[in-house]
Amino acid sequence: MQEEELQALLDKLTTLPAIEKREPNMFSIGARGHYENPVSDVLAFFLWPEAEHGLGNRVLEALLSCLPQGQALDASLVCAPEREASTEKGNRIDMLLESDEWVLVLENKIRHQQNNPFEDYQDHLKTEAAYRHKDFYYVVLSPEGKAPAGWHGIAYKALLTALSECLGKAFITGPVNKWLVLLREFILHLESLMMKSAIPETTERFVLENLDQIQEMLNLKNNVIKSVQEEGLRYLENHFADQGYEISTRLNHWYGYPALRYAFSHWVSASDVVLYLNATPGETFDVRTYACNLTSEALREEAKACLNHETYEAPWNEGQGKIIGFQVLIDQKNVDKHALFAEIARQMAVLDDFELTKRGE
């Protein structure tokens, strides 16, 4: 890729709409909450007024409020919502709600396809002796609120609005508990499922249309970082040639940015010196020393005394106090690689003195 092409691609990148940031929730982190069954299970739990959540019939009222004249219905149930209720033909109803006065079939459609045997569901209620003299309600809960003839469609947006109002009242009238937090997480998860992609269409189209150049740019970036890492290793090998030290190096990525790690092979601890090329806006490159395996307070104090040079920023602790970090910030503008390598060498020499003379005492 020519430099002009690279610059043009970077210029275009800066004009693209930003990707929407969405709040994660417990259902979206490693869970299978996007499937209909888990969503229905959680919804059924909150719809049962006698369940442990302590919200009473608030969630049931929220659901009924989405139906025509639903607020006039008695918001109580004679038993817990029945999940996967079987019909005579062997079909399964997502959820069956029964009160003294009415029976409600609820089909939950997280995705848009609606190919269920809806007529069989209706026949099941009509032929069930226990449901005689009760009113029947057939409801499809879906992203857009669509439903077949004879059924009432509830859009998830309408239900989420009602649930949010329910949650707000619960926060005001009672103490915060884990069930309120869980309901809020559930609402956030459903909102995220119903939303369009967080990536703007313009941004998506740009990436798809320029995949080859973007991949070429990524390859270029990786090759440059690898080259800098190897050049740093050669510099250090020459710098410490008289000592005959063997030097090891590793490449990590912290928050997407490269961290080039260097250490002497004779160190018995995991201590090392790291060049962190942090290009996050508002941040800067730095060279940092990690003194590791500090197993006693005396060794921690020795590390502080030996390593805490006046050029360092304030040190910090990691690993429950068994690691101390020191860093020197580096101006990213007009970065001199040899100055970076010289700073790495300086910190390695100081750390080497600690590792050889202090750790064994």
Side-chain angles (χ1 to χ4, degrees), residues 231-287:
E231 188 175 352
L233 179 60
R234 291 194 298 271
Y235 179 96
L236 295 173
E237 288 174 339
N238 291 331
H239 185 85
F240 294 105
D242 292 343
Q243 289 93 324
Y245 287 166
E246 182 180 344
I247 302 170
S248 62
T249 180
R250 292 183 293 138
L251 174 61
N252 293 154
H253 285 85
W254 298 342
Y255 305 102
Y257 294 108
L260 283 55
R261 315 191 73 143
Y262 299 94
F264 289 134
S265 299
H266 61 265
W267 289 344
V268 296
S269 74
S271 301
D272 59 6
V273 175
V274 183
L275 170 58
Y276 183 27
L277 302 176
N278 185 6
T280 303
E283 300 294 335
T284 184
F285 294 173
D286 64 70
V287 178

Side-chain angles (χ1 to χ4, degrees), residues 335-350:
V335 172
D336 181 351
K337 284 189 300 182
H338 292 283
L340 289 177
F341 300 152
E343 178 58 30
I344 295 171
R346 185 191 70 79
Q347 293 192 32
M348 289 187 72
V350 176

Side-chain angles (χ1 to χ4, degrees), residues 41 69 119 161 168 175 187 204 238 260 271 302-303 317 320 343:
D41 287 340
Q69 285 127 18
E119 291 185 4
T161 298
I187 292 172
E204 181 183 273
N238 291 331
L260 283 55
S271 301
E302 287 283 5
N317 295 321
Q320 298 180 333
E343 178 58 30

Side-chain angles (χ1 to χ4, degrees), residues 28-82:
S28 64
I29 302 174
R32 292 164 57 88
H34 58 284
Y35 293 103
E36 289 172 357
N37 280 338
V39 169
S40 295
D41 287 340
V42 177
L43 182 58
F45 169 77
F46 282 109
L47 285 171
W48 175 223
E50 303 300 322
E52 295 87 344
H53 51 66
L55 295 171
N57 63 358
R58 285 193 173 116
V59 175
L60 180 58
E61 285 181 338
L63 174 67
L64 296 178
S65 71
C66 299
L67 297 173
Q69 285 127 18
Q71 292 181 337
L73 297 179
D74 175 35
S76 64
L77 299 177
V78 297
C79 59
E82 184 179 359

